Amino acid sequence: MTADSSLVNGSRYVECYDRGACLRQTSSFSNVAYANGQPLSRPTTLCDALWEARIFYSEDDNKCFIPFEALQLARHRGLVQKALQHKRFGISTADFPRILDSICSNQRLKDGKSFFRVFAILVLCKNTEYITRFVDLGIDDSYLPLPIIRKNGGTITIKRHKHGGKCPSIKESVLKSIFQDWDHDSLSNLQTRQWWTIAPFLGREGQKIYHYVLESGDVLPFEEKKREEHPKIVDIQGAEEPLDEEMLLVNEGGFGEVSIVKIHPSHYDFGKQLYSDGSHEFALKRLKSPNKNEFKLEVDALRKYNQGIDQHLIPLLATIEKEDDTSKYYLLFPKADGDLRHFWETQFSKTTDKSLLKWMAEQCLGITRALSILHQDQDANKNEDYPIYGRHGDIKAANILWFAKAGATGPSGWRLVLSDFGLMRFHRLMSRSNQTARNLKKTITYQAPEFDIAKISRKSDIWALGCTFLEFITCYILGYEAVSKNFPSCRGEYDERLKFDADKFYQTTNGGKGAELKPAVKEWISNLHRNPKCSPYLHNFLDFIEQSMLCIERDRRPAASDVVKSLESLLLKCQNASYLSGNLVR
């Protein structure tokens, strides 16, 4: 592993070329399975056991891996001894114990070598007897993957892997001496099956984030992989529409696509994950662009704000560089239980916990603190009109994730987390015009007035956050249908400039030179105030949203740090039970 300061600044981001082998040595996963001669559940040969242990997550029969815990069968003395004792192998009686010990040792040998992976590959290729050559030449597991070896007539050609220079190298003369009597089928099997045994081990070490640099032939240790379902968009008439490709680019953020992957438990260790449900599932974001600079921008933002779920920021667990048919760069995150909109739909109608409103106050404050951290990235030499630095740019319920601790059934084990802020770095590379934004019909709901009448800035995030908080209160008081259908419907009106029904929270005035909060939004807020469920806390919160966060004049809108102070003040008052439950109908 080597640090690469050219990829991102700082020592917390480290390139990893050994597939996590060093990390595994210090992880909590120990090499215990089958390694010490424990009896097997049923009689078998090593070749059959390894073959049956393969895990596939795609339809390609060659794209599989043998999990590390099953690979320990190649250290099982009984199976190894049985595999080596075939009479045609010709291993001398004197050499047998040495070869057996080299393969079966639970720990690395005194010289730091291990051979069980090499042996497993030879067994799978039906060339078990060649283990003696590898042991005698000291070509152990650290040399994997072996170069691509081809045979044309009597001539052997060798092709090194792209990143082969980062691993121990074997002289061509040595390789030719080992494989001179292998036939085409055996060499082809070697090239395919060696990848089955070296699936990477993914992990973290303290505050370091590892960037796994892999070959195109590497197989990731996923038991399952499924694309995350994109929510259907309900327009203001209540009709469902799928997202088109252009909308997906914006909705996914950073021009990526998110899948849920299940990592085999013997192939990762990210430390104690309080918000894990034990399913071994994670979110894998595939960047659609192969551009290294764009990848750097995404990672730089995520790395800088990698403070964790308890601080309401999504943690980056690892990154992967692997060229394949679909992408080159991947980012790994914890899997959330859903986004905020999913939370509203599934939990608000079920939860009767009296602490729910106080929890909501705490989470709104936490999300605002997270946004304030992002906004502090503003260059001190740039004024508010400079829109590039430290702006999230896509705050909405779909980009606020809901995490639950294992077994949590109420608010005490729930946490809301701001996500997809890697997108903010792309504002430095992209200059999306208002026209482009207008073309994305379903993405403008939380758009601030300055998209039409002024310059966008960090204050545009405050507007979007105010819209989201208003929806949060709406759902708490009136339920999910109100926030998903009724409120969008009452905001909907035909926009002459956009040429479609828009459900933005404001409308333009004076021929497009000015703007105002939509009367329907003001009336909606008034109706929330009149609802008996609206407590003093919610009255104060609604007032702050309407008068400050949804202020049309951008420069009069509070900064994120000021919103934090206001929400801290409201939360302090929540210590009084009557502030949360008392009715004060206006």
Side-chain angles (χ1 to χ4, degrees):
M1 298 183 188
T2 58
D4 182 4
S5 59
S6 66
L7 191 58
V8 294
N9 295 324
S11 60
R12 293 175 59 217
Y13 193 68
V14 179
E15 284 194 340
C16 175
Y17 289 92
D18 68 355
R19 296 169 178 78
C22 290
L23 270 176
R24 182 184 288 282
Q25 296 301 315
T26 59
S27 78
S28 58
F29 187 85
S30 57
N31 307 331
V32 295
Y34 305 114
N36 54 10
Q38 295 176 1
L40 298 170
S41 58
R42 61 185 177 87
T44 188
T45 66
L46 178 57
C47 186
D48 288 343
L50 293 174
W51 199 264
E52 292 173 7
R54 294 173 303 156
I55 292 177
F56 300 82
Y57 72 84
S58 74
E59 295 180 359
D60 187 342
D61 287 344
N62 289 322
K63 291 294 183 182
C64 62
F65 72 98
I66 300 173
F68 187 78
E69 65 177 14
L71 202 59
Q72 300 305 298
L73 288 165
R75 282 174 165 163
H76 189 281
R77 295 189 74 88
L79 289 177
V80 173
Q81 186 168 357
K82 183 178 179 182
L84 288 173
Q85 281 179 333
H86 197 285
K87 60 182 180 181
R88 71 180 176 89
F89 293 167
I91 300 176
S92 69
T93 303
D95 266 354
F96 198 92
R98 177 177 66 87
I99 300 298
L100 187 64
D101 288 343
S102 296
I103 299 168
C104 298
S105 174
N106 256 355
Q107 305 299 325
R108 288 179 175 267
L109 302 177
K110 291 180 180 180
D111 56 6
K113 296 181 180 295
S114 68
F115 292 90
F116 71 97
R117 281 190 171 95
V118 169
F119 185 64
I121 295 166
L122 294 174
V123 168
L124 290 167
C125 292
K126 310 291 187 180
N127 283 314
T128 308
E129 65 271 24
Y130 285 84
I131 187 62
T132 302
R133 296 189 190 180
F134 282 86
V135 172
D136 289 345
L137 291 168
I139 301 174
D140 68 337
D141 296 342
S142 68
Y143 287 86
L144 299 174
L146 298 174
I148 299 171
I149 303 168
R150 295 189 177 96
K151 202 169 188 180
N152 185 11
T155 303
I156 292 179
T157 59
I158 296 169
K159 181 182 178 181
R160 306 285 178 178
H161 296 293
K162 181 178 180 179
H163 305 294
K166 301 289 185 178
C167 303
S169 179
I170 308 171
K171 292 181 179 179
E172 286 196 12
S173 59
V174 174
L175 288 169
K176 289 177 179 179
S177 69
I178 294 175
F179 296 106
Q180 60 184 346
D181 49 355
W182 283 47
D183 58 29
H184 294 287
D185 289 341
S186 294
L187 289 173
S188 178
N189 288 337
L190 172 70
Q191 302 314 318
T192 299
R193 296 172 187 177
Q194 66 172 334
W195 300 106
W196 300 356
T197 70
I198 57 173
F201 177 82
L202 307 174
R204 285 190 61 169
E205 189 177 39
Q207 292 300 309
K208 292 179 182 177
I209 302 171
Y210 286 98
H211 175 61
Y212 291 82
V213 184
L214 304 178
E215 304 289 351
S216 59
D218 274 295
V219 181
L220 294 170
F222 301 154
E223 296 185 86
E224 295 177 9
K225 182 179 180 182
K226 52 191 176 183
R227 181 170 177 179
E228 189 174 59
E229 291 294 327
H230 292 284
K232 292 181 178 179
I233 301 298
V234 181
D235 67 17
I236 59 177
Q237 283 79 32
E240 292 185 346
E241 297 182 8
L243 290 169
D244 63 31
E245 183 62 23
E246 191 173 11
M247 291 185 222
L248 282 175
L249 291 178
V250 175
N251 190 53
E252 291 167 354
F255 299 146
E257 174 184 286
V258 176
S259 299
I260 301 302
V261 295
K262 183 176 182 180
I263 305 179
H264 192 278
S266 69
H267 282 266
Y268 79 89
D269 184 1
F270 295 110
K272 191 172 183 180
Q273 300 287 303
L274 294 178
Y275 293 90
S276 171
D277 59 4
S279 67
H280 308 296
E281 291 185 333
F282 296 83
L284 183 73
K285 182 174 182 177
R286 174 181 71 85
L287 298 189
K288 295 184 178 180
S289 170
N291 185 282
K292 185 173 183 177
N293 288 331
E294 293 183 9
F295 170 67
K296 173 189 178 298
L297 292 175
E298 179 103 2
V299 171
D300 201 8
L302 290 163
R303 181 190 67 85
K304 185 170 184 178
Y305 307 114
N306 200 50
Q307 300 187 28
I309 293 173
D310 281 328
Q311 299 303 315
H312 304 273
L313 288 164
I314 188 73
L316 176 63
L317 298 177
T319 62
I320 298 168
E321 179 178 341
K322 177 183 180 295
E323 292 189 32
D324 54 33
D325 295 336
T326 59
S327 188
K328 182 176 182 179
Y329 295 111
Y330 299 84
L331 300 92
L332 191 68
F333 302 94
K335 188 201 77 169
D337 291 76
D339 61 26
L340 181 54
R341 190 165 291 275
H342 175 74
F343 173 81
W344 290 339
E345 182 179 13
T346 60
Q347 299 301 316
F348 262 32
S349 60
K350 298 179 181 178
T351 303
T352 57
D353 195 314
K354 292 182 180 180
S355 64
L356 182 61
L357 186 55
K358 185 178 179 183
W359 173 86
M360 175 178 158
E362 293 168 344
Q363 299 308 302
C364 287
L365 172 58
I367 290 296
T368 308
R369 282 175 173 161
L371 180 62
S372 181
I373 291 173
L374 302 190
H375 281 193
Q376 288 171 10
D377 192 36
Q378 179 78 19
D379 191 319
N381 296 319
K382 305 293 184 182
N383 60 31
E384 190 59 51
D385 283 336
Y386 191 77
I388 303 303
Y389 284 39
R391 182 169 69 87
H392 184 288
D394 198 22
I395 291 178
K396 55 187 177 183
N399 281 337
I400 295 175
L401 301 180
W402 164 50
F403 286 87
K405 290 182 179 179
T409 57
S412 62
W414 296 339
R415 183 74 62 167
L416 297 182
V417 171
L418 187 61
S419 74
D420 222 8
F421 49 86
L423 176 63
M424 72 180 195
R425 290 292 179 175
F426 280 79
H427 293 304
R428 301 181 63 179
L429 296 180
M430 298 176 57
S431 178
R432 280 175 43 204
S433 67
N434 286 340
Q435 182 60 44
T436 301
R438 293 190 197 104
N439 289 339
L440 300 176
K441 180 177 177 181
K442 301 304 181 184
T443 69
I444 64 172
T445 298
Y446 306 96
Q447 177 180 296
E450 48 267 30
F451 276 77
D452 283 317
I453 63 173
K455 294 181 180 180
I456 58 174
S457 75
R458 294 173 299 168
K459 296 292 186 72
S460 305
D461 283 343
I462 302 301
W463 175 278
L465 190 62
C467 296
T468 304
F469 286 165
L470 181 53
E471 288 182 323
F472 209 151
I473 295 173
T474 293
C475 192
Y476 178 81
I477 293 178
L478 300 176
Y480 182 69
E481 187 172 352
V483 76
S484 64
K485 294 182 179 179
N486 301 339
F487 191 21
S489 180
C490 84
R491 294 195 311 269
E493 63 178 29
Y494 187 77
D495 191 304
E496 286 290 344
R497 297 177 64 195
L498 301 178
K499 303 303 181 184
F500 58 75
D501 288 333
D503 66 345
K504 294 184 295 186
F505 285 68
Y506 71 93
Q507 61 188 16
T508 56
T509 61
N510 193 23
K513 296 180 180 178
E516 65 179 5
L517 198 62
K518 283 183 176 177
V521 175
K522 293 181 179 180
E523 181 61 25
W524 187 270
I525 294 173
S526 296
N527 289 335
L528 292 176
H529 279 301
R530 289 192 286 267
N531 192 290
K533 198 174 178 181
C534 192
S535 66
Y537 163 72
L538 291 176
H539 284 305
N540 290 160
F541 198 2
L542 284 169
D543 287 340
F544 179 69
I545 292 170
E546 181 177 11
Q547 297 166 17
S548 298
M549 299 183 77
L550 298 185
C551 179
I552 295 295
E553 293 80 8
R554 187 202 67 185
D555 293 339
R556 290 180 54 198
R557 227 173 283 151
S561 58
D562 294 324
V563 178
V564 167
K565 292 176 183 177
S566 295
L567 296 190
E568 284 176 341
S569 177
L570 294 182
L571 182 60
L572 187 61
K573 296 178 183 178
C574 289
Q575 305 305 317
N576 186 333
S578 63
Y579 187 65
L580 290 169
S581 59
N583 295 326
L584 186 63
V585 179
R586 295 186 183 181

